[in-house]
Amino acid sequence: MSSISPFVAIRRDLHKIPELGFQEFKTQQYLLRYIHTLPQERLEIKTWKTGIFVKVKGTAPRKMIGYRTDIDGLPIKEETGLPYSSEHEGNMHACGHDMHMSIALGVLTYFANHPIQDDLLFIFQPAEEGPGGAKPMLESDIMQTWKPDMIIALHIAPEYPVGTIATKEGLLFANTSELFIDLKGKGGHAAFPHLANDMVVAACALVTQLQSIVARNVDPLDSAVITIGKISGGTVQNVIAERARLEGTIRTLSVDAMKKVKERIEAMVNGIKIAYQCETEIDYGAMYHQVYNDPQLTAEFIQFAESYPEMQLIRCKEAMTGEDFGYMLAEIPGFMFWLGVDSPYGLHHAKLAPNEAAIDRAIAFLTSYISWKGNNG
């Protein structure tokens, strides 16, 4: 049996213990145990809720470079059949955060042993999938004290082959918002619908109406997506449902489009309230700022990547993906890029199985870029 690299082994360990946002207790302990095995001379370690900050002191610092990874999993039942599948029933690292963490540890390991001129800050951020950890972590006293001058992050991309990265200047990921709509009517016997107020019927009408917003209320040259991913209502087949709940997401490429979409949702829900004589409530849950790559830093990064022989750079288009790293980029110049992992199944799929060969290649690439940037840039 061929041996695997230590960071692939770490990824498999982390893959077994996916935890939801702000519940990453085992994950935090695993990360801390590993970090404490590194040379400590230049490290300062601080925890924040279930997250971790690690500062690597430079030899002659002029600035601080931040590197952020997310650490949480998703409430998805894994179907990969891998020998290192999730041991936490109903949870899975289906968005690649196990890959992200192992890469971050690999880069941290290198710089703990090979310090550069500039200070580095490694940020192990909880709750990216929800309710959102980037904004409160950014606002924490620790990060306001250790505030990087620039910050970078990556996200795995199943559609790209191993050995490729993809990014662009400016807008990379969309503005996103969760969407929860509750309807309350009057339950009753299925034989007497005229004495009840059926919220399943109201919910179905609302879902159909919501789909008209993008087609008829958003500028065709802009982009928006409204997805209702879950509908729940009723208790049994012969009882008219008193309550129904719609759960979904909104994604837009512009702030103005997000505002317009929400205005139209609120108008339609109010219409349902009147037409179906029911009570309604809207909750937008977690809202993520767009990921906007700093043009100058990203152009410089692209130039570096194009000269790096072991990695192919793809200039991609913006995506409707949501990422709370956008909050950090709104305050700190930096960028995010896609890392190709060549999986036939996409993000948030129960069978997502990234190619682990991407881990060591990403570590080598990032250590090269950060070394160059931290010694020269």
Side-chain angles (χ1 to χ4, degrees), residues 140-162:
S140 70
D141 290 342
I142 300 171
M143 194 161 177
Q144 287 301 308
T145 301
W146 285 349
K147 196 166 185 179
D149 297 287
M150 64 170 287
I151 192 165
I152 61 178
L154 65 78
H155 200 296
I156 67 162
E159 67 273 26
Y160 291 126
V162 172

Side-chain angles (χ1 to χ4, degrees), residues 91-113:
N91 290 350
M92 178 187 173
H93 272 301
C95 202
H97 298 187
D98 51 340
M99 298 279 287
H100 299 173
M101 286 185 280
S102 62
I103 291 166
L105 289 177
V107 178
L108 172 58
T109 299
Y110 179 87
F111 289 114
N113 288 281

